[in-house]
Amino acid sequence: MAADVHNKGVTWDAPNGSLVPVDRLRSERSDSPTPGLVQGTEPGAGQEHAMFMHAQSFEDLAAESESNPDSDQAEDQSVLGESQEASEKEGEEEEQRGGAEPEEEQKDQPEENQKQHQKQKQEVQTGVRGKEEDVTSEAWRRHRKHVFVLSEAGKPIYTRYGTEEALSTTMGVMMALVSFVEAEKNIIRAIHADGCRVVFLHKSPLVLVGVSQSSQSDRELSRELQYVYYQIVSLLTLTQLNHIFQHKQNYDLRRLLAGSEHLTDSLLRLLDRDPGLLLNAVMSLPLSSSARDVVSTSLQAAKAKSLVFSILLAGNRLVTLVRKKDQYLHHMDLHLLFNLVGSSSSFREGEGWTPICLPKFNTAGFFHAHISYLEPKSDLCLILVSTDREDFFNLSDCKRRFLERLRKRSAYQALQEAVQTPTYPVSQVGIPELWHFVYKSKSSGLYTSPELPVPYQKEEEHERLIGLYRYLHSCLHHPTRPLRSVYRCGDTENLFAWVSTITTAAFNKQV
Amino acid sequence: MDQEYYLELSENPVQFENASSVNNVFFDEANKQVFAVRSGGATGVVVKGPEDKSPIAFRMDDKGEVKCIKFSLGNKILAVQRTPKSVDFTNFIPDFPHLEFSHECKTKNANVLGFCWTNWNEIVFVTDQGIEYYQVLPDKRSLKMLKSQSINVNWYIYCPETAVLLLSTTVQGNVLQPFAFKNGTMSKMPKFEIELPMVPKPAKISLSERDIAVSTIYGQLYVMYLKHQSRSTNSSGAEVVLYHLPREGAFKKTHILKLNTTGKFALNVVDNLVVVHHQSSQTSIIFDIKLREPDCAVNVHQPVLPARSIHPYKIPLTGPTAASVPCELYSSSWSVFQPDIIISASEGYLWYLQVKLQPTVNLLQDKGKLMDFLLRRRDCKMVILSVCSQMLDGGEKGNLPVIATVFDKLNQVYKEYLEAEQAYTVALESGPSRFSSSYKRPVRTQAVIDQSDMYTHVLSAFTENKDVSHKFIIAVVMEYIRSLNQFQITVQHYLYELVIKTLVQHNLFYMLHQFLQYHVLSDSKPLACLLLSLESTYPPAHQLSLDMLKRLSTANDEIVEVLLSKQQVLGALRFVRSVGGHDNVSARKFLDAARQTEDTMLFYTIFRFFEQRNLRLRGNPAFNPGEHCEEHNSYFKEVFGEQTLMKSAAV
Amino acid sequence: MLMISPRMASGTQEKQYTPSLLSFFIYNPKFGPREGEEEKKILFYHPIEVEKNEKIRNVGLCEAIVQFTRTFCPTKPAKSLHTQKNRQFFHEPEENFWMVMVVRNPMIEKPSKDGKPPTVEYQEEEILDSVYGAVLQQCYSMYKLFNGTFGRSFEAGGVELLIQKLEKFFYRYLQTLHLQSCDLLDVFGGISFFPLDKMTYLKIQSFVNRVEESLSLVKYTAFLYNDQLIWSGLEQDDMRILYKYLTTSLFPRHTEPELAGRDSPLRPEVAGNLLHYGRFLTGPANLKDPEAKFRFPRIFVNTEDSYEELHLIVYKAMSAAVCFMINASVELTREFCEQLDALVGPQLTLLASDICEQYNINRRISGPEKEPQFKFIYFNHMNLAEKSTIHMRKTASVSLTSVHPDLMKILGDINSDFARVDEDEEIIVKAMTDYWVVGKKSDQRELYVILNQKNANLIEVNEEVKRLCATQFNNIFFLD
């Protein structure tokens, strides 16, 4: 995928100099992550206020519209502040890898074919992205969650199921509804029918519509639409988007996004299955603090003039994140990066170099990401985010230096082993008949969750489980009637969730 | 008209040779025996009683005209009075000297008016100067004086039932002195005066024994006085005045029966009804002294029914021509004895007077009064039930209130019986010691009409009746249930079924629902099951039935079954746990049910639950062979994998 | 249209506006299919003043929404449209007849300094679909009760008649809608039953049966005491809406002097040798009045099948009220009313005092401890039985609840959660105000409890609820 963007030779340049007050002073590099959670202290908690100020200024920079009902300030702030502390943490959960399973047979294929292959792969993965799917069929309707993206001219940009062409009229109607309501100085939010709801999100120049058969709340749905919005922005930048549509009102954006649909597809799958996106948090790889320190310092050492963020991933888990002073990486941006890596196998073929916009950071400009796996077969993936699009070889060099240090400090071995056992069984926490749980530390923006017990490993059960967490989450964080705790005893499981000033957790236990 | 004769003469009367110059006929009220004495007994005496088929026949020497002849109780000793001074006796006891012996009354120059047996060997002589109470010693062929009392006697009346002797004393004869006899003792009861319509001057005997009758009504002894008075402005003709003679305490004038006419009358008592025959009009009327509850000291009664003649009677002619001639009713040759005997000496017949209830039904319009009347009669059951059926099918306006009162009256009696029954059993349980002797089992009279009577003879047929609106049917049955409840009688299940059946037939489920809501149909397992069976047509029945089972609190197993049958496996499990039975329920039962739901998640849950239980009870999550859960075990492994099975070491 | 609620955020000059009715309209797309005929679709529109084209536009939007939603769920029509400023509720009670109710979201008006126009902030999460959806359906049911179905009117007198009926009814009815006081009870639309012992209940039964027997005109009877139902001869759904009418509209209009104790209107005339308190709540106020009119409201029941039109006679003695329903084709005369008065008055008076007596006896037996210290709402879908210790009073105009509106909304949320899945559930939540709110659903029953025990933990709360069930609902099957 990275290659695709390259080939297309997209050369919109964003005046993003503003982002790089480069500072070389090592001392001013961020410290290695504090192992806060392990000791049960919540360093972030005290800083919330400070973070708040910063968040404000950040929001201005990102030109984020305040009016958005779904932007959960508190969450954002804490996470913004805390992502720096991405740190050692007990216990993770095995997460389905989106499109990231190794595909040897693709090894020696020329990049041109990648796109084609990606497509096929997506079809295999989602099983439903059949272009030939009949949009009037019952089967099409019965999909649990539809997502549509269209331009303000009503032109289809994306649909999760079926083809955009087939849906152009439907999308036309959607646009009509949106603009009709807006003509009354009003904003359309949602339509409800029994067991089905349609949620609208207008983020100029795009209109996003979600249709859900599940009991998911409007808020959650519209949050997910935002993710999709940022996914698209991350490919083009908002500036570019606006530019395009100012210039040509009914431009068919698919021409630009062609081949990137699978990114959105896999993002939606993540949303269905990864509590992280629900909780605005990430999960980190369990690793001894010493080992993690080594990794972090090694990564810090491998610095470059324009290098802003250095991120080491193991699958969908964060190993460590190093950032320039005063530069904060929003969990959303982080998830977009995860998604980018997770949904394309091409980076396994070597070092990838792709422009990417991190919309929560700045919707106006492109970063340039150097993405590569430490070894073809390993899950360890290094992302180096630079502001300079000519920086490929510098970063490639950074990687080399990082690896050297790692090996020298013989932390590599520890890392390898950690990757082998990324999860832990729920029984480890020693609560009898506890089936599953999710725990988030607001202060660190990290969450943990044990591996899925057997009954939840089936895909639909897995998504049902996430659905339950989603339900609990939206109960707890109701905008006007938030709750301290929720207990629900149903036919299959007993759920319990509570939020304290600093933590959110959801248990899931059968009595 | 024919069905309106409510009095009749008994089918098979006692026949005897009719009175004639050579044949004197006597009647003994004590033994209800008729004596036909031909020429002073020389040509034979034939004694016929109601019971004994074979009449007693014997001879005795003609020692002069027989004034009075009576057997002692059980026909042991025969007493015959021929002279005004003495009475002759003859043993009839086998292997006792058969020779006649005689006894003179003690009192000087007193005349024996007559005698009466109070026992098999005790006899009372009544003389114009008093009474003499003797014990007869058949073996010694002599009498032993027990007691005597001197008092001027005009005439006397003896009531065998109560062994009470009434003496008419004083000049006018209207002061009655009763004596009671009981094995060997004679007790003098307070005397009392009969109020005469007018006091004659100069005083002379003015109360004749013909106008006095003694009988027991409703178990109480009454003296009935036939008070003649010409109809005039201040009086509505003759009346019968009843004086109550309690065993202890003073007599009381309690009832006045209005005859509304004058003439010759005769009295009978049948089935506790006072029957008054009026000769000139050849009709009879009946009174029920209970029909009006005593509000004042004396209460006045009108006839229960309009006057009617006794049902015509035909006398079969003997001989070749099997024809029969109508018998002259109310003939002057009739003599009437208490309580219910009519004798025609001239024709040689003794009848029992009987009351027919069926005709009364049409004669007595007021159903409430009718019920009061019928409920006190002996053979009332079928009549009452027929009245009910007819009343329901009639279905004329404003019927319900009547129906209600009728039901209430029936259940009143029903309840009284039940209470007596209960008191009796309680008494028995409390030890035979003193109670059981005093308490005797309450007799169940025909008037006791219970729910099954009502159901089989009235309601079941009635609810089948297609011409009656279901609205009315339900109203009636509910009315009956209401009445039962009012008397705190537990309603039988089949009545509820009747209601439900009717409601369901007409799809009146919401009504049914409301009834159950207010527990009008009391809880019971059968009822709960009946409801369950309705679920298909009326889903809420399921909930109703569960509630009922819950209230019964003895039906937990049923509840579990119901829930399982509805595939509410978890619900069933939670319920079992809530009643603390989860340690001994069969795991297999639940696992089977879970399997049927084809919900693997559910199966997993249930399976885990029992693994936990096993662990708790036996320290090992595995199932015992006895529980027969092998197949489920393997199914679990097959679906969730071996490793998912709980390890005994896990906790 | 705006209604300023009494409660204002103290201190600041913030103004809070409760939800209010923006518009209410009824249309039938089939009535104006062709271009330029759109106006014909509109059968009723409130407020009248709205300019024609806007009416047409709004109806158009609704049509579009409905149409659009069909592409995703053809079987389940659109129920509501959420926008920033308001919510629109759709209801298609009869084929192609659509009722739409537009409710403005509650809002807070913050005066901004330096004379700029005040900023308005809409509270989009305050309105519960379930509640106002139910209110809309109630509008139809109530209309149908007194006017029959749209379809029948249309067949009878064409659009003109229908429009006329709609305007006549809704013009008044809409004014009685008090949207700010709607809550969970409107969702249930339940019936409160009067607790009564078996014997007294049977007495009432036989009273009803006797009256129906002697007044054969009477087709259905309903019996209430203290505004609570005891017996209904009507089918459940008809009774449900009739009950709503009686308790929220008719009864409140006739306040009870005899309940106030003094000057009870013991009527001079003697019926059945007994002075009685009977009087007509519908029809003639005073039988003696020579001018008295003998016209009674007409109602329509069993519209699904037999479609009956009936006179509604409501007769009351003390706290006992009886509804007699009589085929509307019959002319009701003075004679009939006098007969009814003479027959029913005395009996009902007796019955009423019986019931009162019995009730007090039972009260004394059960004792005060049975009077719940709990705040709860109970509802049973099977028989529509409803019990609330939260509402001191609930009429159309006011619902006096003893708990904070937010808690009521949480109840509403839990209720919608229950509605989604058809399985027994229990939900216990702790609000930020530290109140515990418990929702329980077992078979067709729902129970909501509010506990003010800040320091209790989940288990204690659960125990507390068990205790409640044991005391209040021990005679029904309630899974826990």
Side-chain angles (χ1 to χ4, degrees), chain C residues 14 105 125 154-155 159 204 228 265-266 274 284 298-299 309 323 339 354-355 386 405 478:
Chain C
E14 275 190 6
N105 283 326
E125 303 280 349
F154 178 64
E155 289 159 23
V159 186
I204 294 170
Q228 291 173 297
L266 189 47
L274 180 116
R298 306 246 178 137
I299 60 169
E309 184 176 0
C323 305
Q339 188 193 358
D354 272 15
I355 297 170
E386 169 184 274
F478 216 164

Side-chain angles (χ1 to χ4, degrees), chain B residues 291-349:
Chain B
L291 253 193
R292 255 240 237 83
E293 294 315 313
D295 34 23
C296 53
V298 176
N299 55 88
V300 179
H301 298 270
Q302 291 297 334
V304 179
L305 301 169
R308 289 280 183 274
S309 156
I310 298 173
H311 194 288
Y313 188 83
K314 286 190 165 45
I315 296 174
L317 285 182
T318 43
T321 55
S324 59
V325 295
C327 158
E328 183 201 0
L329 303 173
Y330 301 94
S331 88
S332 50
S333 72
W334 277 15
S335 34
V336 173
F337 297 91
Q338 294 317 309
D340 55 354
I341 289 159
I342 296 175
I343 291 177
S344 164
S346 56
E347 281 146 322
Y349 278 97

